[in-house]
Amino acid sequence: MKSKFIFITGGVLSSLGKGIVAASLGLLLEGKGLKIALMKLDPYLNVDPGTMNPFQHGEIYVTDDGAETDLDLGHYYRFTNSPLSKISNSTSGQIYDEVLKKERAGEYLGKTVQVIPHITDVIKNRIIACSNQKSDIDVTIIEIGGTVGDIESQPFLEAIRQFRHEHLGDSINIHLTYVPYIEHADEVKTKPTQHSVQQLQRSGIFPDMILCRCKESLSKEIKEKISLFCSVPIERVIDVIDVKNTVYEVPILLQKAGFDISISELLDIKKQKSNLQKLEKFVADLISTKKTINIGFIGKYLQHKDAYKSIFESLTHAGIVNGVLINIIGIDSEKITDEDNFSKAVSQCHGILVPGGFGERGLEGKVTAAKFCREHNVPYFGICLGMQVMVIEFARNVLNLHKANTTEIDPLTKYKVISLLSEQKNVKNIGGSMRLGAYKCNIDVSSLSYKAYGKHQISERHRHRYEFNNEYKKLYEEHGLKVVGTNNDNNEELCEIIENINHQWMVGVQFHPEFKSKPTDPHPLFISFIKAIVSNEKKNCRRD
Ligand code: GLN
């Protein structure tokens, strides 16, 4: 089958869930036996979101090949089997950079370099490259970040217009809008949708289908109105109702609303109903799960609900296999001043997770939390900085290495238990220069981690500059903190996993397991963490 292309644009406002819709569409197509590739085009000028503050951008999702990408790629991973790599996320920054480098190299042979055709050509080439990354991709789904009408999106919309013209019959546009319910008028309003479709039409793009994000399902009259004003057949005006329990209901709801049939007709692809069995089972299990456990989550970007997206999702996935829902109790690391105040915060938690992070702010609070969890046998999962904190705490309070620290925070500390990776020593630029992407890790058979993964060698994704200092390895191991996972690719050994062998479940990992958990395939370490808590609950033997 010749590859087809689906463009997804958004109107009216941001945060309508375009990423979830794109991922759901991917899953629906996979459910018909098709191979898909998903791609996100971001109109901002940063080369990638890696240099942005989590408040600005939410989580940075890392791919195997070390791209720091938009968090929507996390949705793509969790919903589908789309290949995900550098080519799956392009920003205006990357596109302009590519054009300007070519210009400096003289590749435009004296021409004036312009948005059309030079920028739009690069955009189109990248779409093609994404669909060509594997030979068997049937459908490429391209999500355009931002909202139509934004100045930044213009070159992307123009590129889509051209692309559709060049691939007539093989490409369609789905436009996601918002249909608000206005309480004082007791009415659902279609005007914002009409206006955003007009915006899109002004760019020469005529949507083939309109998805309407709404609170309740839309009446026939409302759909007729949207259909008439936006020139889209009524069966292609589809409502995307706010889900009650979980985002994983979205593909199921879209299928019920006729989305998958309409797509098949539009693209002339397999008509059979998509098989969503595995996801349906996950959703049914989630809905029927009643028991809840509390996980204390120690971070500094807690107000931003997307800053730790993949970790929250991974906890949910692992909870369901263990028969529990996860209630996250956010504990602001900057507010942890001493053990007393932490013990109050933690009293209602069954386990503690310390995620990744950067910089000094909140670090001491995390160290206090690690000390409390170690001393009180509270299950503790440390991810990246959360692992480094475990190492720092152990040095200070067990090994008596006074003021031991990471050189990220205190470069002059006498005890550099976490120090800069040697490969980082000559790095000058901060963008895209961390140890990024997938690396192998060899696991010790006697460890909890081995039990969780059930294999000697794993591969996990990374995003860090600092690392456990092996000079202290022997001392740590003599006192019960064991390096149980290492990377041995180069001459030096890098610590990837540590475990406190005198604790029921205190595991720290230098990598980010959260990037590889799916509802239908939860991550082994998250499963093991929740399992330890659940079996504690059964024994009712948590020691406080
Ligand atoms: N700041 C630490 C480092 O760079 C941890 C990074 C992280 O948690 N992602 O090593």
Side-chain angles (χ1 to χ4, degrees):
M1 173 174 133
K2 202 164 141 217
S3 194
K4 312 265 179 171
F5 299 87
I6 302 177
F7 294 96
I8 301 185
T9 51
V12 184
L13 39 91
S14 58
S15 304
L16 289 180
K18 243 185 302 148
I20 301 277
V21 164
S24 302
L25 172 56
L27 178 70
L28 285 162
L29 294 172
E30 284 184 345
K32 294 177 192 294
L34 297 167
K35 291 270 187 306
I36 61 127
L38 274 147
M39 176 181 206
K40 173 94 193 268
L41 295 174
D42 274 312
Y44 52 72
L45 284 173
N46 302 60
V47 170
D48 61 43
T51 52
M52 283 189 224
N53 183 313
F55 282 131
Q56 289 278 312
H57 192 273
E59 169 186 274
I60 308 302
Y61 185 82
V62 180
T63 55
D64 273 346
D65 67 344
E68 294 176 280
T69 72
D70 187 77
L71 58 79
D72 277 328
L73 272 77
H75 299 310
Y76 302 168
Y77 182 88
R78 290 185 282 274
F79 281 71
T80 75
N81 296 311
S82 163
L84 293 173
S85 67
K86 284 192 169 69
I87 196 67
S88 314
N89 188 196
S90 284
T91 67
S92 290
Q94 285 168 28
I95 290 157
Y96 278 85
D97 191 43
E98 185 178 328
V99 169
L100 295 177
K101 280 193 178 119
K102 275 195 199 156
E103 187 272 337
R104 289 291 85 182
E107 287 183 33
Y108 292 111
L109 304 174
K111 290 202 185 94
T112 307
V113 179
Q114 292 174 306
V115 172
I116 307 169
H118 303 107
I119 295 292
T120 48
D121 277 352
V122 172
I123 297 173
K124 289 187 289 178
N125 290 344
R126 285 179 177 233
I127 294 167
I128 295 291
C130 182
S131 90
N132 284 346
Q133 62 187 311
K134 280 192 169 172
S135 56
D136 56 353
I137 304 286
D138 300 305
V139 184
T140 305
I141 301 164
I142 305 106
E143 176 193 350
I144 319 295
T147 310
V148 292
D150 295 348
I151 289 176
E152 290 94 342
S153 325
Q154 301 276 310
F156 290 99
L157 296 181
E158 169 58 17
I160 300 178
R161 186 196 67 73
Q162 294 175 19
F163 194 97
R164 295 196 56 184
H165 173 69
E166 290 156 6
H167 295 80
L168 272 184
D170 287 334
S171 72
I172 61 167
N173 171 264
I174 296 175
H175 190 58
L176 175 66
T177 74
Y178 185 49
V179 182
Y181 166 71
I182 306 296
E183 206 164 345
H184 65 260
D186 189 24
E187 259 184 76
V188 163
K189 292 292 186 189
T190 64
K191 197 69 83 191
T193 295
Q194 295 176 36
H195 285 170
S196 90
V197 170
Q198 282 165 13
Q199 275 283 0
L200 195 62
Q201 289 169 340
R202 243 172 268 155
S203 304
I205 299 171
F206 294 81
D208 299 284
M209 185 184 286
I210 298 181
L211 296 184
C212 308
R213 177 78 190 259
C214 49
K215 258 203 153 85
E216 308 277 341
S217 79
L218 300 178
S219 66
K220 188 157 169 269
E221 292 70 42
I222 292 292
K223 284 190 179 174
E224 272 169 358
K225 206 164 167 187
I226 295 174
S227 162
L228 178 69
F229 281 97
C230 303
S231 314
V232 169
I234 186 159
E235 62 281 5
R236 292 186 197 147
V237 177
I238 289 179
D239 38 34
V240 187
I241 311 160
D242 294 352
V243 288
K244 288 195 187 67
N245 305 291
T246 161
V247 290
Y248 301 111
E249 285 175 88
V250 174
I252 301 165
L253 285 179
L254 284 173
Q255 184 174 50
K256 281 197 187 126
F259 184 58
D260 109 69
I261 305 288
S262 292
I263 291 283
S264 307
E265 284 167 3
L266 271 168
L267 281 177
D268 194 18
I269 49 181
K270 294 186 181 173
K271 299 262 183 323
Q272 91 253 24
K273 195 174 165 217
S274 304
N275 179 349
L276 298 180
Q277 235 172 15
K278 281 189 182 166
L279 192 78
E280 281 164 349
K281 176 167 184 329
F282 174 83
V283 170
D285 288 347
L286 186 142
I287 293 172
S288 64
T289 301
K290 296 284 170 275
K291 192 170 181 292
T292 299
I293 59 164
N294 295 333
I295 299 294
F297 186 89
I298 306 184
K300 57 181 180 181
Y301 301 106
L302 297 164
Q303 306 91 308
H304 193 306
K305 75 174 185 24
D306 283 342
Y308 304 104
K309 189 91 203 153
S310 294
I311 298 187
F312 292 172
E313 291 300 315
S314 305
L315 286 168
T316 303
H317 307 158
I320 298 308
V321 241
N322 281 296
V324 290
L325 297 174
I326 308 291
N327 179 36
I328 307 274
I329 300 197
I331 303 173
D332 184 342
S333 49
E334 285 184 275
K335 300 219 169 99
I336 305 173
T337 47
D338 53 45
E339 276 181 65
D340 265 3
N341 96 349
F342 182 67
S343 74
K344 282 193 200 94
V346 83
S347 63
Q348 39 177 344
C349 303
H350 301 98
I352 291 291
L353 194 152
V354 180
F358 295 84
E360 187 171 13
R361 210 160 50 80
L363 187 95
E364 288 305 319
K366 290 177 182 171
V367 173
T368 305
K371 178 167 189 282
F372 186 95
C373 292
R374 179 178 54 75
E375 289 177 343
H376 296 82
N377 207 23
V378 178
Y380 175 103
F381 194 2
I383 296 181
C384 209
L385 183 67
M387 180 208 101
Q388 298 177 356
V389 157
M390 225 174 116
V391 170
I392 296 167
E393 185 283 315
F394 202 87
R396 291 184 191 170
N397 302 311
V398 179
L399 308 179
N400 294 320
L401 305 177
H402 187 55
K403 290 191 176 166
N405 215 329
T406 160
T407 55
E408 178 179 3
I409 309 300
D410 182 2
L412 300 177
T413 176
K414 188 164 170 201
Y415 304 110
K416 301 174 174 45
V417 288
I418 302 289
S419 57
L420 195 64
L421 282 154
S422 51
E423 66 187 42
Q424 288 285 320
K425 295 212 166 108
N426 297 319
V427 168
K428 297 263 169 345
N429 280 343
I430 55 166
S433 59
M434 285 188 240
R435 179 172 181 246
L436 289 167
Y439 288 93
K440 281 188 227 117
C441 167
N442 301 309
I443 308 182
D444 193 333
V445 275
S446 62
S447 63
L448 275 175
S449 302
Y450 179 79
K451 230 173 152 181
Y453 282 99
K455 51 184 174 188
H456 294 282
Q457 196 176 69
I458 53 154
S459 167
E460 293 282 3
R461 302 181 192 164
H462 298 69
R463 184 171 185 254
H464 66 119
R465 290 187 204 284
Y466 295 84
E467 176 63 65
F468 177 74
N469 183 348
N470 281 325
E471 281 174 29
Y472 293 93
K473 183 173 165 182
K474 195 160 166 279
L475 188 61
Y476 272 95
E477 298 208 326
E478 281 165 5
H479 289 80
L481 197 67
K482 251 187 108 184
V483 174
V484 299
T486 54
N487 172 277
N488 309 79
D489 285 351
N490 297 320
N491 292 336
E492 55 178 343
E493 172 181 288
L494 294 178
C495 162
E496 295 282 1
I497 312 178
I498 55 166
E499 290 182 7
N500 184 329
I501 58 168
N502 300 315
H503 189 286
Q504 59 160 324
W505 209 99
M506 191 163 197
V507 178
V509 293
Q510 187 55 77
F511 48 79
H512 289 271
E514 70 271 22
F515 295 142
K516 288 175 72 175
S517 183
K518 294 176 187 256
T520 51
D521 187 14
H523 192 284
L525 279 180
F526 280 91
I527 297 179
S528 169
F529 175 51
I530 303 299
K531 195 171 171 192
I533 294 170
V534 172
S535 54
N536 261 357
E537 285 293 286
K538 281 197 188 126
K539 284 184 270 160
N540 198 16
C541 70
R542 197 181 130 217
R543 279 187 270 151
D544 291 278

